[in-house]
Amino acid sequence: MRLDKCLADCGLGTRSEVKSLLKAKRITVNGKVVNNGKVQVNPETDEILFDGEKIQYEEFVYIMMNKPAGVISATEDNCHKTVVDLLNDEYRTYDIFPAGRLDIDTEGLLLLTNDGILSHNLLSPKKHVDKKYYVKIAKPLSENDVKTLENGIKLEENFVTKKAKVEVISENLHENGDNQVYITISEGKFHQVKRMFKAVNNEVLYLKRVKMGNLSLDENLKLGEYRELTEEELDGLKF
Ligand code: URA
């Protein structure tokens, strides 16, 4: 594999950060300084040092899935199929888990990985990673509802939602089911979106996550389909 990919996989930074490390002559391969990221290395057999310290190579996998309804965001479950069950055998050797949860009836963007640090960063409340959802709701929102949703709602004794963004896509004043909005939140409390709409006397009829941080759901993925992230997508997710 390419040295720059190997270094990035080891958590030394994005491809461009790794390039700077190489330029600064901080990387050696088998005792020689290497400043070209294109050089092919075998992390199992080559000795790769960063500032004189051996790097630990672990292969990380990053998968974007369009989660279907009916499967749960877990690694195993006694009753239901899990998102990990949807992966094919090639991924069985990795300890892949979903980075975050979507409810059983929620569809859309789910990241699966074996990279605990990236997952932790994405989910940490301190990092405020935005999550954007497409929502069908039972009734149109009033201007006041939008303001309330955006400015914060007390969902629990000690929990008021942070600022959110609501974008109305379409409204149907007479019939159910055609009131569509996007809502972007930076938190991930249990059933948060459903509870936020309930708090303004509305009801979520359908929920789909379309974006998380810089990562957008690939609309070519049908429900239940998945693919590995591109390098660009992965770089966009790193902190
Ligand atoms: N909010 C919810 O209510 N459910 C989800 O699955 C995700 C966010």
Side-chain angles (χ1 to χ4, degrees), residues 27-95:
I27 307 293
T28 60
V29 179
N30 301 328
K32 282 195 192 123
V33 170
V34 178
N35 60 11
N36 178 358
K38 289 185 192 154
V39 164
Q40 290 291 315
V41 292
N42 179 344
E44 307 286 325
T45 54
D46 289 322
E47 189 185 53
I48 307 168
L49 306 184
F50 165 51
D51 284 348
E53 297 271 341
K54 192 163 171 21
I55 60 154
Q56 292 301 325
Y57 181 75
E58 190 183 348
E59 196 174 352
F60 289 127
V61 183
Y62 305 91
I63 295 168
M64 168 196 300
M65 178 181 281
N66 186 0
K67 178 193 170 297
V71 296
I72 62 166
S73 308
T75 52
E76 45 189 307
D77 190 76
N78 291 334
C79 305
H80 295 100
K81 241 188 181 181
T82 72
V83 286
V84 171
D85 293 331
L86 298 182
L87 300 177
N88 68 28
D89 288 346
E90 118 182 57
Y91 295 109
R92 296 268 169 250
T93 52
Y94 304 95
D95 281 333

Side-chain angles (χ1 to χ4, degrees), residues 24-177:
K25 302 191 173 166
R26 295 171 70 181
I27 307 293
T28 60
V29 179
N30 301 328
K32 282 195 192 123
V33 170
V34 178
N35 60 11
N36 178 358
K38 289 185 192 154
V39 164
Q40 290 291 315
V41 292
N42 179 344
E44 307 286 325
T45 54
D46 289 322
E47 189 185 53
I48 307 168
L49 306 184
F50 165 51
D51 284 348
E53 297 271 341
K54 192 163 171 21
I55 60 154
Q56 292 301 325
Y57 181 75
E58 190 183 348
E59 196 174 352
F60 289 127
V61 183
Y62 305 91
I63 295 168
M64 168 196 300
M65 178 181 281
N66 186 0
K67 178 193 170 297
V71 296
I72 62 166
S73 308
T75 52
E76 45 189 307
D77 190 76
N78 291 334
C79 305
H80 295 100
K81 241 188 181 181
T82 72
V83 286
V84 171
D85 293 331
L86 298 182
L87 300 177
N88 68 28
D89 288 346
E90 118 182 57
Y91 295 109
R92 296 268 169 250
T93 52
Y94 304 95
D95 281 333
I96 291 178
F97 54 88
R101 276 164 187 261
L102 292 176
D103 296 338
I104 189 161
D105 55 350
T106 301
E107 297 181 348
L109 176 63
L110 189 68
L111 179 71
L112 293 120
T113 183
N114 55 349
D115 182 342
I117 295 177
L118 180 81
S119 169
H120 173 81
N121 282 335
L122 279 176
L123 303 177
S124 164
K126 289 185 199 138
K127 305 276 182 182
H128 307 295
V129 174
D130 281 346
K131 289 132 204 135
K132 182 173 180 180
Y133 295 88
Y134 164 83
V135 199
K136 280 190 186 172
I137 45 179
K139 296 185 280 183
L141 294 172
S142 68
E143 270 180 36
N144 211 28
D145 293 340
V146 171
K147 271 192 205 139
T148 309
L149 287 164
E150 292 196 329
N151 290 336
I153 300 177
K154 187 170 179 179
L155 289 185
E156 290 164 23
E157 193 43 40
N158 287 318
F159 179 64
V160 178
T161 58
K162 291 212 164 55
K163 288 232 176 294
K165 187 165 187 266
V166 174
E167 297 158 75
V168 174
I169 306 168
S170 71
E171 285 184 327
N172 183 336
L173 296 174
H174 306 293
E175 283 171 41
N176 275 357

Side-chain angles (χ1 to χ4, degrees), residues 101-103 106 133 185 189-195 207:
R101 276 164 187 261
L102 292 176
D103 296 338
T106 301
Y133 295 88
I185 58 174
K189 284 265 183 197
F190 186 60
H191 294 334
Q192 181 160 337
V193 173
K194 291 174 186 161
R195 287 159 72 203
L207 187 59

